[in-house]
Amino acid sequence: MQTHTIRLMNHRFEVPCEPEDQAKLEQAADFLDNKLDLVPHLKGETKILMVALNICYDYLQLKKDTLAYTDHLEKQLDRLALELNNNAADETP
């Protein structure tokens, strides 16, 4: 495994990363750096922990919303399958 250098809060970090994952790592570092820039009034560990907490909260909300939407789609598919089966049974001589 290779390492890839990213920059966060004016620090350089060598991160183990497969070459095919470097673009995603850069995106993640840019995302985190942008989030850190949104709270200039916080410093050091407090800043990092608050941003991490916000990212985790957003992740959990997105996960909950995604699971609810997936459940909704599965119920729609079940209803459509039942309707198709009923229509097929009605058309059988």
Side-chain angles (χ1 to χ4, degrees):
M1 179 173 289
Q2 299 177 353
T3 60
H4 187 69
T5 303
I6 60 168
R7 191 168 181 84
L8 292 168
M9 295 178 60
N10 297 321
H11 291 83
R12 298 173 73 101
F13 298 93
E14 293 290 326
V15 180
C17 180
E18 296 294 344
E20 62 270 13
D21 294 328
Q22 286 181 359
K24 287 187 279 188
L25 177 62
E26 287 290 333
Q27 281 183 306
D30 289 343
F31 179 82
L32 179 55
D33 211 32
N34 289 333
K35 291 289 188 179
L36 290 165
D37 288 344
L38 293 176
V39 287
H41 59 285
L42 297 176
K43 302 290 182 210
E45 288 178 358
T46 302
K47 181 177 195 164
I48 295 166
L49 289 172
M50 289 299 104
V51 168
L53 182 61
N54 283 328
I55 290 171
C56 289
Y57 177 87
D58 291 346
Y59 165 77
L60 291 173
Q61 185 63 46
L62 183 60
K63 182 179 175 181
K64 177 184 167 195
D65 293 347
T66 301
L67 290 173
Y69 185 65
T70 301
D71 186 52
H72 169 74
L73 290 177
E74 286 176 354
K75 287 177 183 175
Q76 278 186 318
L77 285 172
D78 289 344
R79 282 193 300 270
L80 287 172
L82 183 60
E83 187 177 319
L84 285 172
N85 286 337
N86 289 340
N87 287 342
D90 289 345
E91 293 175 6
T92 304

